[in-house]
Amino acid sequence: MQTDRIIGISLLIVGVALLVAGVNASESVSSEFSKLFQGVPSDKAIWLMIGGALVAAIGLAKSLRGRTAHG
């Protein structure tokens, strides 16, 4: 259905935006301090990237499933 593809594409766009926000957050000053002392980016950066990847994957699957199922 066309609505499923629109929702899927919207989720894909939101997921990519969250990924970009996560990458930007991982390069912030607070994240750099976290990397310096703990060896990993800040929790906020990690959750933004994980959430973005999940939302983007769901959006991609939903948009492709709608496309293949209906032509």
Side-chain angles (χ1 to χ4, degrees):
M1 184 156 234
Q2 190 69 11
T3 306
D4 287 341
R5 286 187 65 196
I6 292 170
I7 291 171
I9 291 169
S10 299
L11 287 173
L12 182 61
I13 292 169
V14 169
V16 170
L18 286 172
L19 277 170
V20 169
V23 169
N24 286 337
S26 73
E27 296 172 357
S28 69
V29 174
S30 64
S31 191
E32 290 297 326
F33 277 117
S34 179
K35 284 183 208 175
L36 178 66
F37 292 112
Q38 298 176 350
V40 295
S42 68
D43 288 344
K44 178 183 176 183
I46 291 172
W47 283 113
L48 282 169
M49 289 187 274
I50 290 171
L54 288 173
V55 172
I58 291 167
L60 182 64
K62 191 163 188 67
S63 65
L64 289 178
R65 184 180 60 186
R67 189 172 113 204
T68 56
H70 299 288

